[in-house]
Amino acid sequence: MKKLLLTAVFFFLLSSKQYGQDSIEHQIEKIYALALTQGKSYHWLDHLANRIGGRLSGSLNSELSIQWAEEQLKEMGFEDIWLQEVMVPKWVRGNYEYASFETQPGNSIHVDVCALGGSIGTSIFGLEAPVIEVQSFEELEELGRGKIEGKFVFYNKAMPPEFISPLDAYRSTVQQRTQGAYRAAQLGAVGAIVRSLTLTQDDFPHTGNMSYGDLANRNRIPAIAISTNSADLLSSMLKLNPDLVFYLKQNSKNYPEILSHNVIVEMIGSEFPEQIIVFGGHLDSWDLGDGAHDDGAGVVQSMDVLHLFHLLDYKPKRTLRLVLWTNEENGLKGATTYAQEAIEKGENHIFAIESDAGGFSPRGFTFEATDEQFKKLQSWQRFFHPYYADRFVRDGSSPDVVPLRNGTTVLAGLRPDLQRYFEFHHAANDTFDQVNKRELELGAAALASLIYLVDQFGI
Amino acid sequence: MKKLLLTAVFFFLLSSKQYGQDSIEHQIEKIYALALTQGKSYHWLDHLANRIGGRLSGSLNSELSIQWAEEQLKEMGFEDIWLQEVMVPKWVRGNYEYASFETQPGNSIHVDVCALGGSIGTSIFGLEAPVIEVQSFEELEELGRGKIEGKFVFYNKAMPPEFISPLDAYRSTVQQRTQGAYRAAQLGAVGAIVRSLTLTQDDFPHTGNMSYGDLANRNRIPAIAISTNSADLLSSMLKLNPDLVFYLKQNSKNYPEILSHNVIVEMIGSEFPEQIIVFGGHLDSWDLGDGAHDDGAGVVQSMDVLHLFHLLDYKPKRTLRLVLWTNEENGLKGATTYAQEAIEKGENHIFAIESDAGGFSPRGFTFEATDEQFKKLQSWQRFFHPYYADRFVRDGSSPDVVPLRNGTTVLAGLRPDLQRYFEFHHAANDTFDQVNKRELELGAAALASLIYLVDQFGI
């Protein structure tokens, strides 16, 4: 009899476990089916990219996008929408950006350039100087002040195409953009020209953030990105005529900090309301394109997570908090302000995930986690196998969750296929038409599914 | 002493195994690096798509593409290029394709249509008839001759968006295109209108093969594809006015079979020359776009395999044979002729792989293999892990290798990410600009790496 009872209990446990597992798989199946049939990501992105457009923080468009997000969340039934105040840098691209160089006496050729974010402008007469091409800071240092002073430094290191991950290729070269002007100015250069960070040969200059570090105002120099085609042209012409003169005229400008906002809403957890799961994207973008991939995609996917949970009538156990950060691109003030207040309030963030790698076909996730946490995460990989999103890797996180790093909060990122990303990254061709509806929706589903698992089982 | 000797042998075996493994990984690393830096896929595709364009078998463009392929292979140093004779159907799209329906007396609206491949034309006066919409052949049969006779049958079943694999969604609906006209004609319909097989809402009609089966010539009816936007419009207008009259005028035409060719070259194996590894793509395409994804990508990737092996100065153990098949799209005569001659000659094909699913980011491969063969293949998955191409699935193969199916030859396919594929499939937007260079090159590298493994270790 006892044996029979034990057997019965065993089968009960087995079947309830079975049921539990089926029910997870079924729930994720529903999330995916809803995302692909009733998801709002693509519709929202259409508005954000095509009706609002590029939205550099501090700009009018940035404000419009914050208002729009607030309205959409209200329409979804959220009443307590928190607009968290954030002071952000305000940098404005000039109304002219022009560069050329003389190919032979009397003939000059236009090149495709754009100011880097944060760059000062030239004088109204423009800036004319010879060019010295380098591949690295080491080369720059070797050349020294004698060869650098009074010239444009032309950083022409290409993103290495043989890297399988374009992100690794980007990381290996991005310093020439972020620090190039600073390092060149220290040696007396008058300007910095940086090869665009893309693996594509084309005519789009790719902007991005740069810093003057501790340089005094009077020592700062204008910094521009140059398209890969124009960079190759300039490089080949320099070989023919090392003394050619480059002309740059642009009037970008820095203004005092102004007020912006993070947009935040949450669904309070029914069992563990003090455990917070944060997810989101950054609402600001660069000004050249319409920020469809970077990071319109992450914004609408994160909003869609809430929409999908509403469709499922899902009641979270833990508190699910959507954060649409401001000012990721040129200051990270949204993320640092958010993290600072969270720490001040003693909030318990157990998990923070950002989607900020483009609206491409999802392949999995990145994690910053302890071994134990990662082991638990890996036990969920199989749930993502049917959706081709089961590549779980330990890698650095998207910038907006990094300020939450404390050794216990798991930081994560949605990791889509990145092969096309840098074609559009920070350039005028980062536009809505380059986003595929299904790829975008699959990202929203992957994000919602992982959040569902963390909510159900903790981490 | 004996123990020492054994230990020495053990370490020798261990290190040589180690060496062997490193060498495989290193070889594949080199293949990928070369594909991404010196691959010719993209350059070739530019020519094939932009200079030649759509190349339906039997057309002048098809002949031009065969000549071009022969020239490229000669330039690579191949002397014995075999142009295998193949008789192919010749079907020509008319110089007009026009469809409209009356929305109210005196007002008619144009809809986006194209003839399906193999369809007969209408009379020179066009064809005017009411429309009956169905979702399935079951519905068609239920309606019966009484409701069908004298009408256009409008197959409006959409590819289900909730399917994760667009290929599965395609397979679930393609019968309305291939058999729709045949089934409708048997019930006395005067024409077939088929909703385009794509998951996208747009204005592109997607053509594709269809068959009249055993229908007598006099009973055949014109068959067209209609864009998804036009299909939705027609469907909604039919709800308002079930008696609306649809007008179609098109003059596509079938001609007698004509001579075409498969293009074949091989590298003879040094150890097992009688073991043949076949790989390739189909050189023909539909006529509407320029066949960049379908199957320009597969053609140039396969040619690139040889180019990469040349760069590596690789001497195969087994015979590597490139086949660029003709007439995949509307007859499969290239593949059936190839297989028939191979059987007649008693050739031993150990492995046959086609790349025919678009030039997208590769995710892995499909296989038709015995359990034992698949187990061996799975042991190679780890080599593809660093390249995100380690999804090995058992699934049906691309059409051109299917005639080689005999239970021992492993049939395989390169399996890229398919989310975008049907957006372009068989439509006017299947063009070069929709192919990403890196995604294409990664496919060539994956293909070359798998062929390298089969060549090294057999199957």
Side-chain angles (χ1 to χ4, degrees), chain B residues 127-132 140-141 143-155 179-192 215 218-222:
Chain B
L127 180 58
E128 217 170 24
V131 177
I132 184 132
L140 184 81
E141 298 299 330
L143 287 165
R145 178 170 285 270
K147 295 260 173 62
I148 301 294
E149 196 156 34
K151 292 182 185 155
F152 281 101
V153 172
F154 171 32
Y155 294 97
Q179 302 169 31
Y182 173 71
R183 304 281 290 255
Q186 285 181 318
L187 295 171
V190 298
L215 272 185
R218 67 176 182 284
N219 294 332
R220 298 182 177 191
I221 60 173

Side-chain angles (χ1 to χ4, degrees), chain A residues 57-252:
Chain A
S57 63
S59 70
L60 176 63
N61 270 8
S62 166
E63 286 311 296
L64 290 175
S65 69
I66 291 167
Q67 279 173 27
W68 168 83
E70 194 188 1
E71 281 159 22
Q72 298 310 308
L73 294 168
K74 267 192 188 142
E75 266 188 36
M76 281 170 71
F78 288 99
E79 284 166 14
D80 290 330
I81 296 165
W82 179 23
L83 296 186
Q84 184 177 34
E85 294 195 354
V86 183
M87 292 304 291
V88 299
K90 181 175 168 72
W91 173 83
V92 178
R93 186 177 302 283
N95 54 353
Y96 50 81
E97 287 187 318
Y98 181 83
S100 64
F101 62 84
E102 210 172 45
T103 51
Q104 46 178 296
N107 270 6
S108 71
I109 193 163
H110 165 82
V111 285
D112 297 303
V113 303
C114 68
L116 293 182
S119 172
I120 61 167
T122 64
S123 84
I124 196 161
F125 304 108
L127 179 58
E128 215 170 26
V131 177
I132 185 135
E133 177 178 340
V134 299
Q135 292 281 319
S136 64
F137 294 139
E138 292 68 41
E139 203 183 329
L140 185 80
E141 298 299 331
E142 268 173 39
L143 286 165
R145 181 171 282 270
K147 296 260 173 65
I148 302 293
E149 196 156 34
K151 293 183 185 155
F152 282 102
V153 172
F154 170 32
Y155 295 96
N156 194 27
K157 171 87 181 146
M159 273 172 67
E162 67 276 19
F163 282 37
I164 302 306
S165 161
L167 185 59
D168 292 341
Y170 178 73
R171 286 168 173 167
S172 78
T173 43
V174 68
Q175 292 76 16
Q176 65 187 349
R177 190 194 75 212
T178 54
Q179 303 170 31
Y182 174 70
R183 304 283 289 256
Q186 284 181 317
L187 296 171
V190 297
I193 306 167
V194 182
R195 184 188 181 89
S196 283
L197 296 173
T198 172
L199 290 153
T200 315
Q201 282 300 135
D202 61 28
D203 298 322
F204 294 102
H206 293 237
T207 191
N209 207 9
M210 50 84 65
S211 163
Y212 291 116
D214 54 9
L215 271 185
N217 271 346
R218 66 178 182 285
N219 294 332
R220 297 183 178 192
I221 60 174
I224 52 168
I226 186 168
S227 74
T228 48
N229 280 343
S230 289
D232 285 353
L233 180 66
L234 177 57
S235 180
S236 63
M237 295 308 275
L238 278 170
K239 283 181 188 70
L240 295 175
N241 176 15
D243 302 322
L244 70 76
V245 169
F246 193 90
Y247 176 74
L248 170 67
K249 183 172 166 177
Q250 63 97 340
N251 60 338
S252 59

Side-chain angles (χ1 to χ4, degrees), chain B residues 251-399:
Chain B
N251 60 339
S252 59
K253 199 171 165 187
N254 288 290
Y255 292 86
E257 287 198 335
I258 70 163
L259 184 65
S260 181
H261 299 86
N262 293 327
V263 181
I264 305 173
V265 291
E266 57 187 20
M267 296 169 78
I268 303 291
S270 59
E271 285 184 38
F272 314 104
E274 76 293 352
Q275 293 186 21
I276 298 169
I277 297 169
V278 161
F279 59 98
H282 62 84
L283 204 39
D284 66 307
S285 78
W286 281 107
D287 53 335
L288 294 173
D290 60 36
H293 277 296
D294 188 8
D295 183 30
V299 165
V300 299
Q301 285 170 333
S302 306
M303 288 166 62
D304 221 1
V305 170
L306 292 177
H307 170 63
L308 296 171
F309 285 163
H310 276 204
L311 289 177
L312 287 166
D313 200 20
Y314 181 67
K315 307 283 177 236
K317 292 183 183 176
R318 293 163 170 85
T319 293
L320 306 187
R321 185 183 288 174
L322 169 76
V323 184
L324 305 177
W325 288 278
T326 189
N327 186 232
E328 188 270 350
E329 295 293 5
N330 61 334
L332 211 64
K333 292 297 178 71
T336 48
T337 302
Y338 176 80
Q340 202 174 332
E341 285 201 31
I343 292 161
E344 278 167 16
K345 289 181 183 166
E347 287 183 340
N348 177 19
H349 286 65
I350 64 162
F351 190 84
I353 184 166
E354 183 171 26
S355 167
D356 183 21
F360 305 98
S361 204
R363 295 214 142 180
F365 301 92
T366 61
F367 297 102
E368 292 185 56
T370 64
D371 288 350
E372 204 183 340
Q373 287 166 335
F374 191 60
K375 219 166 154 182
K376 182 161 186 176
L377 289 161
Q378 282 180 306
S379 74
W380 298 339
Q381 271 180 286
R382 64 189 186 83
F383 295 123
F384 294 90
H385 188 80
Y387 310 102
Y388 288 71
D390 55 344
R391 185 67 74 105
F392 284 23
V393 294
R394 297 176 96 156
D395 196 359
S397 304
S398 298

Side-chain angles (χ1 to χ4, degrees), chain B residues 91-99 113-116 118-127 212 221-224 247-253:
Chain B
W91 173 84
V92 178
R93 187 175 301 283
N95 53 352
Y96 52 80
E97 287 188 316
Y98 182 84
V113 303
C114 69
L116 293 181
S119 171
I120 61 166
T122 64
S123 86
I124 196 162
F125 304 108
L127 180 58
Y212 290 116
I221 60 173
I224 53 168
Y247 176 73
L248 170 67
K249 184 173 165 176
Q250 62 98 339
N251 60 339
S252 59
K253 199 171 165 187

Side-chain angles (χ1 to χ4, degrees), chain A residues 116-389:
Chain A
L116 293 182
S119 172
I120 61 167
T122 64
S123 84
I124 196 161
F125 304 108
L127 179 58
E128 215 170 26
V131 177
I132 185 135
E133 177 178 340
V134 299
Q135 292 281 319
S136 64
F137 294 139
E138 292 68 41
E139 203 183 329
L140 185 80
E141 298 299 331
E142 268 173 39
L143 286 165
R145 181 171 282 270
K147 296 260 173 65
I148 302 293
E149 196 156 34
K151 293 183 185 155
F152 282 102
V153 172
F154 170 32
Y155 295 96
N156 194 27
K157 171 87 181 146
M159 273 172 67
E162 67 276 19
F163 282 37
I164 302 306
S165 161
L167 185 59
D168 292 341
Y170 178 73
R171 286 168 173 167
S172 78
T173 43
V174 68
Q175 292 76 16
Q176 65 187 349
R177 190 194 75 212
T178 54
Q179 303 170 31
Y182 174 70
R183 304 283 289 256
Q186 284 181 317
L187 296 171
V190 297
I193 306 167
V194 182
R195 184 188 181 89
S196 283
L197 296 173
T198 172
L199 290 153
T200 315
Q201 282 300 135
D202 61 28
D203 298 322
F204 294 102
H206 293 237
T207 191
N209 207 9
M210 50 84 65
S211 163
Y212 291 116
D214 54 9
L215 271 185
N217 271 346
R218 66 178 182 285
N219 294 332
R220 297 183 178 192
I221 60 174
I224 52 168
I226 186 168
S227 74
T228 48
N229 280 343
S230 289
D232 285 353
L233 180 66
L234 177 57
S235 180
S236 63
M237 295 308 275
L238 278 170
K239 283 181 188 70
L240 295 175
N241 176 15
D243 302 322
L244 70 76
V245 169
F246 193 90
Y247 176 74
L248 170 67
K249 183 172 166 177
Q250 63 97 340
N251 60 338
S252 59
K253 199 171 166 187
N254 288 289
Y255 292 86
E257 286 199 336
I258 69 164
L259 185 64
S260 182
H261 298 88
N262 293 327
V263 181
I264 306 174
V265 292
E266 57 187 21
M267 298 170 77
I268 304 291
S270 58
E271 287 184 37
F272 313 105
E274 76 292 352
Q275 294 186 21
I276 299 169
I277 297 169
V278 160
F279 59 98
H282 62 84
L283 204 39
D284 66 307
S285 78
W286 282 106
D287 53 334
L288 295 173
D290 60 34
H293 277 296
D294 186 10
D295 183 27
V299 165
V300 299
Q301 285 170 333
S302 306
M303 289 165 62
D304 221 1
V305 169
L306 292 177
H307 170 65
L308 296 171
F309 285 163
H310 276 204
L311 289 177
L312 285 166
D313 201 21
Y314 181 68
K315 308 284 178 236
K317 293 182 180 176
R318 295 164 169 86
T319 293
L320 306 188
R321 185 184 287 175
L322 170 75
V323 185
L324 305 178
W325 289 278
T326 189
N327 186 232
E328 188 269 349
E329 295 293 5
N330 59 334
L332 211 65
K333 291 295 178 72
T336 48
T337 303
Y338 176 79
Q340 204 175 331
E341 286 202 31
I343 292 162
E344 279 167 15
K345 289 180 183 166
E347 287 183 341
N348 177 18
H349 286 64
I350 62 163
F351 190 85
I353 184 165
E354 182 171 27
S355 167
D356 183 21
F360 305 99
S361 204
R363 297 214 141 179
F365 302 93
T366 61
F367 297 101
E368 291 185 58
T370 64
D371 289 349
E372 205 183 341
Q373 287 166 335
F374 191 61
K375 219 167 152 181
K376 182 162 186 177
L377 289 161
Q378 281 180 307
S379 74
W380 298 338
Q381 270 180 284
R382 63 190 187 82
F383 295 122
F384 294 90
H385 187 82
Y387 310 102
Y388 288 72

Side-chain angles (χ1 to χ4, degrees), chain B residues 5-80:
Chain B
L5 194 71
L6 275 175
T7 310
V9 168
F10 174 75
F11 277 106
F12 172 76
L13 287 174
L14 191 76
S15 69
S16 67
K17 189 173 177 229
Q18 202 66 37
Y19 176 73
Q21 297 288 12
D22 280 345
S23 145
I24 294 168
E25 279 145 20
H26 186 58
Q27 192 76 354
I28 291 175
E29 205 181 307
K30 280 199 287 186
I31 288 170
Y32 270 86
L34 284 172
L36 289 167
T37 53
Q38 300 178 51
K40 294 187 78 167
S41 298
Y42 197 65
H43 167 74
W44 276 328
L45 189 62
D46 185 9
H47 191 100
L48 188 59
N50 288 326
R51 302 292 174 98
I52 297 175
R55 46 200 176 276
L56 191 57
S57 64
S59 70
L60 176 61
N61 271 7
S62 165
E63 286 310 297
L64 290 174
S65 68
I66 291 166
Q67 278 173 25
W68 169 83
E70 194 188 0
E71 280 159 22
Q72 298 311 308
L73 294 168
K74 267 192 188 146
E75 265 187 35
M76 282 170 70
F78 287 99
E79 283 167 13
D80 289 330

